[in-house]
Each structure stands twice: as C-alpha cells, then as structure tokens.
C-alpha cells in the first residue's frame, strides 16, 4: 500500500471517530455508514455546530433521534430516529405512533452533540398564536416526501409556526465567521416576514442592524429582492433582507423555485455570500460574493448566536415554508466544501413520490364519527363534498392525501369552486387540473389552501348528514380540525 493511501485511510478513520464522538449518541457498527454533510464540513476545517434534519442523519456515524413528535390523543411523545447509522428517518415509527390521531413536531434534535436542539419558539417582539404567546408547532404529517425511496417528513411551517433555541453552544457571535445551508421546498413560500433558518438574537427581539445572520426564503420585497417575481434566497441580517451589498434590488439574485432547494448563506469579517442550487440535480450557483452591506451596523457584525427556524429574529410570524435539513458551521466554508456537500445532497435522492401518500377516511374534529364524504361517490364535476356518518363506504370516504398537495378520491380532487377564495365558497369534487384551488396542506390539524391561506371548514359546526363543506378564514375552531389517515 502506498504512503498516500495509508494517510488517506488514517484521515478517514479519524474523521469517522470524531463524527461518532461529536454526536453524543450510540453508534452501531465499526465505522460510519457513509460520509454525510457534517463529515464533509469537518474535513474542510469548518465543523458543524448545529445539524438539524427530520429526513436523515447528517453525520455518517449518527444513530440518534432526528426529531420528537407528540400525539393529540394522549399527549404521549416519541423520538423518531434513523433506520441505521448515517441513514434515513424511520417514518414508519411515526406513522405507527401517530395512526388515527394528529401529531406535532415538538423537538428537532441537533446531531452535532452540542445540544442545540430546536423547540417551540417563545414570544418576543411578536407573540405567537399558541398559549403563552408561543408559536405553533408543525403538523408532523404535513410534508411527506421520499428520500432515496424511503418515506420521510419535512417541517411544514404555516404562518404562526416557529422553532428556536436562545441558549446555544458554539454558534458564531459578534463578527465570527460561519456558514449555513438548508434544504427547503422551493414551491412553498409567501411574502410574509420571515421564513428564516440561522443565527438570531438571544432575546427574540430586534436588537439592531447586524444582530442576525440567517437564510431567508420567500418573495417579500419590503427590503431586498432579486430578479423576477420571486421567491429569492437572501440573508436576514436584521432590519433588512439583503440580496447583495445594497438594500433593495440585486440583478444577480434570481427567482429560484426548485421543488427541493439548497440555500446557502455564509459570512466572515466584511465578506459574505449567497449560493443556491437544485437539491435534486446539478451544482451550486453564486448569487452574491462580496463585502457586507454599505449601511451602518453590518460591519462589523454583532451576531448573538441563537438559532431560529420559520420566523424572523424578533419572532415575526407571517412566513410560510417547508424545511427538510440544515446545518450551521464554525468558520467560513470554502466553495469546494460546499460543492461536495451539494453533491451529497443530490445523491441523497430527495423526491416527491407515492411513498408520501396515505389513504383513508378524513374525520371531523367536531364529531369523529362524521367523515368527509363525496356525495354518492359520484364523479360528476361539481359534486358535493359533505359531512356524513362514517360508514366504511370506501368509494365515497377513502380519500388519498398526496405528497403533491392534492386530496383525491375517485380520480378527482377536493376543489374550491371556481377558485373563489371568499369566505363561504363551497368545496366540491372536480377532475384534477393542477390548479391552486386544488392544493391543501395539513397544519396543526387544519387543511389549509396555500393560495388563499384559508381553511377547509364545516360551516357553523354543523355535522348533520349532507352539510356541504366550505372555505373559511382560519380561526382555530374545532370545525376546522380534521383527523387525517
């Protein structure tokens, strides 16, 4: 064996050992199952200080929990781990635990071993809609996907949902260098503030320019923006979303809406960068690489080191998005390291497949003996979708909740009549046509149409047989709660 090969084997073995020690969890087998993003960052000299994912391990040796769910039937909790060290989420464990009831994601565990777990965000400059001013937790069933053919779930953030850790270990502060990436659903976004993942204030309030450094994704244009209609990857540096050196427009920051999107922000003294790419194929593009914004307060930066997901630094809660995985590093990663991470992400095999679909009755939160019913199982366009006694009539009551956002039965879709998003518009059966009025996302037990932000509603809590369902402004009522298959 040549000397360079011996050196390479020693280096790889040391890297695996370090990764196993950092996780703080038991590792099965004699070595890592594979090389994963945080192994690549460590090899590049910019180790992960936070690693969050609900879909897979981010270290080749990681064999601990990815996230925790809590079910509504009895408030019991369950950690969801990986199928094997360095592998994919055990979605079957969630499906079994959450069968016939709703589940929320309560903890997103940090795989780095530093304990930088994400939990329900507390109130700050803005209060959330949950008791005590906390933010909502994400519906654990709301974002099903497949990864390398294995079923997994993302973190679906509807406005009002957020996670945070204000007491972190090892995250960059002040002007210290750092990098971060996240995998988002590039088709799920809005113009609210602010769908972020990254470094934020430790008191959940706006502490001035330069006190944040986080990835933003969406199409708000209040501060910075790029070309086209959006969405854009930008940096939330507090009191500004920046697409370049200036507040406002950057012609080099394009609209990006890949179904699975790799988004990168990194910063060091008076230098920062935006990069992004398709998480399913190809490499990364650089949209900005240059000095800090030419506005007072951003050079030097005054980062505080908290971690946020789904909200702004001051707990602004108007945003929407879906998160699958992300990390934060110590030090400014090289482009070569990030390119290797992107190759790893592409190889992971994110996809929207049938593995994310589930079929069965959808029951009412007002009366669980009542089911959403396609009247007489008819397939006539405009057929009434109604409340009816659950009767096992599969052709009328066995709905399929699909990973593409549709809810189908009998070859047709749950449809908002004429794409009229006014309160009280009737919901019906209609042939599937890829319209925005046929899109639904589960969120905290509700079925929300993303185009309108409104909920599927049992009018006036009336569960009498034949009551036709409607679209209505989301209000948290039990008549907008649905138990999915």
């Amino acid at each position: 064996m040549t000397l360079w090969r011996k050196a390479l084997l020693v280096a790889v073995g040391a890297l695996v050992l370090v990764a196993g020690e950092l996780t703080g969890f038991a590792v099965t087998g004699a070595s890592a199952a594979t090389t994963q993003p945080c192994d690549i960052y460590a090899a590049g000299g910019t180790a992960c200080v936070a690693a969050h994912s609900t879909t897979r391990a981010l270290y080749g040796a990681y064999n601990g929990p990815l996230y925790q769910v809590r079910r509504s039937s009895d408030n019991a909790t369950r950690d969801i781990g990986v199928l094997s060290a360095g592998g994919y989420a055990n979605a079957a464990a969630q499906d079994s635990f959450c069968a016939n009831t709703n589940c929320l994601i309560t903890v997103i565990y940090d795989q780095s071993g530093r304990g930088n777990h994400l939990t329900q965000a507390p109130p700050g400059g803005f209060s959330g809609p949950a008791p005590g001013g906390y933010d909502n937790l994400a519906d654990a069933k709301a974002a099903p996907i497949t990864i390398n053919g294995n079923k997994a779930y993302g973190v679906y953030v509807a406005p009002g949902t957020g996670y945070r850790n204000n007491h972190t270990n090892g995250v960059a502060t002040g002007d210290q260098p750092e990098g971060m990436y996240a995998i988002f659903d590039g088709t799920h976004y809005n113009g609210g503030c602010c769908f972020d993942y990254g470094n934020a204030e430790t008191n959940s309030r706006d502490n001035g320019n330069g006190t944040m450094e986080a990835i933003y994704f969406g199409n708000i244009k209040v501060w910075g923006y790029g070309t086209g209609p959006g969405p854009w990857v930008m940096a939330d540096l507090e009191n500004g979303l920046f697409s370049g050196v200036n507040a406002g427009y950057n012609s080099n920051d394009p609209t990006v809406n890949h179904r699975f999107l790799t988004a990168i922000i990194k910063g060091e003294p008076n230098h920062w960068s935006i990069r992004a790419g398709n998480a399913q194929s190809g490499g990364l593009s650089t949209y900005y690489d240059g000095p800090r914004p030419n506005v007072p307060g951003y050079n030097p930066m005054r980062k505080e080191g908290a971690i946020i997901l789904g909200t702004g630094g001051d707990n602004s809660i108007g945003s929407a998005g879906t998160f699958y995985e992300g990390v934060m590093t110590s030090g400014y990663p090289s482009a070569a390291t990030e390119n290797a991470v992107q190759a790893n992400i592409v190889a992971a095999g994110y996809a929207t497949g049938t593995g994310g679909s589930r079929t069965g009755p959808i029951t009412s939160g007002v009366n669980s003996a009542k089911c959403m019913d396609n009247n007489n199982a008819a397939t006539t366009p405009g057929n009434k979708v109604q409340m009816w006694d659950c009767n096992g009539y599969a052709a009328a009551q066995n709905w399929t909740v699909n990973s593409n956002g549709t809810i189908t039965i009998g070859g047709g879709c749950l449809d908002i009549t004429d794409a009229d998003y006014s309160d009280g518009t009737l919901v019906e059966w209609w042939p599937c046509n890829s319209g925005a009025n046929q899109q639904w996302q589960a969120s905290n037990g509700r079925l929300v149409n993303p185009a309108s932000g409104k909920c599927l509603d049992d009018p006036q809590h009336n569960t009498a047989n034949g009551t036709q369902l409607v679209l209505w402004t989301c209000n948290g009522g039990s008549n907008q709660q649905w138990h999915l298959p």
Side-chain angles (χ1 to χ4, degrees), residues 382-383 414-422 425-430 437 440 468-469 471:
N383 196 56
L414 185 67
D415 179 282
I416 300 165
T417 303
D418 295 330
D420 181 349
Y421 300 130
S422 304
T425 298
L426 298 174
V427 174
E428 62 188 5
W429 184 99
W430 197 269
N437 61 321
W440 302 91
Q468 187 164 1
L469 302 181
L471 186 74

Side-chain angles (χ1 to χ4, degrees), residues 8 11 20 46 71 112 126 134 141 153 163 169 207 210 218-219 221 225 229 250 259 267 282 345 407 439 441 462:
L8 178 61
T46 51
R71 64 188 179 197
S112 77
F126 294 86
Y134 280 71
K141 301 179 182 180
Y153 292 94
Y163 294 82
N169 173 17
N207 292 334
N219 67 342
K221 296 180 71 173
Y225 58 98
N250 173 15
R259 175 58 179 84
I345 291 166
I407 299 176
Q439 288 287 307
Q441 293 283 358
N462 184 358

Side-chain angles (χ1 to χ4, degrees), residues 177-193:
E178 68 177 347
M180 63 196 75
Y181 85 82
I183 307 300
F184 299 138
D185 178 347
T187 68
H188 181 208
Y189 60 91
N190 70 0
C193 182

Side-chain angles (χ1 to χ4, degrees), residues 140-162:
K141 301 179 182 180
I145 53 131
T146 61
I147 180 167
N148 194 31
N150 299 276
K151 185 178 181 181
Y153 292 94
V155 182
Y156 182 89
V157 174
T161 302

Side-chain angles (χ1 to χ4, degrees), residues 34-38 40 51-59 62 64-67 81-84 86-90 109 111 145 147-148 151-153 181 183 279 324-327 340-350:
T34 185
T35 299
Q36 297 291 33
C38 284
I40 297 169
H52 304 107
S53 176
T54 57
T55 64
R56 64 170 180 151
L58 299 176
Y59 291 86
Y62 187 78
L66 299 179
Y67 61 104
V82 291
L83 294 168
S84 61
Y88 303 102
N90 185 0
Y109 290 108
Q111 301 177 30
I145 53 131
I147 180 167
N148 194 31
K151 185 178 181 181
Y153 292 94
Y181 85 82
I183 307 300
Y324 301 105
E325 66 178 70
V327 313
V341 169
Q342 167 68 359
N344 175 278
I345 291 166
V346 170
Y350 276 101

Side-chain angles (χ1 to χ4, degrees), residues 19 49 71 110 127 142 183 198 208 229 231 441 464 472:
V49 293
R71 64 188 179 197
D110 171 26
S127 293
I183 307 300
Q441 293 283 358
W472 200 270

Side-chain angles (χ1 to χ4, degrees), residues 353-372:
T354 56
S357 299
R358 54 201 191 273
T359 299
I362 297 176
T363 58
S364 166
V366 178
N367 181 350
S368 61
K370 297 287 184 175
C371 280
M372 187 167 77

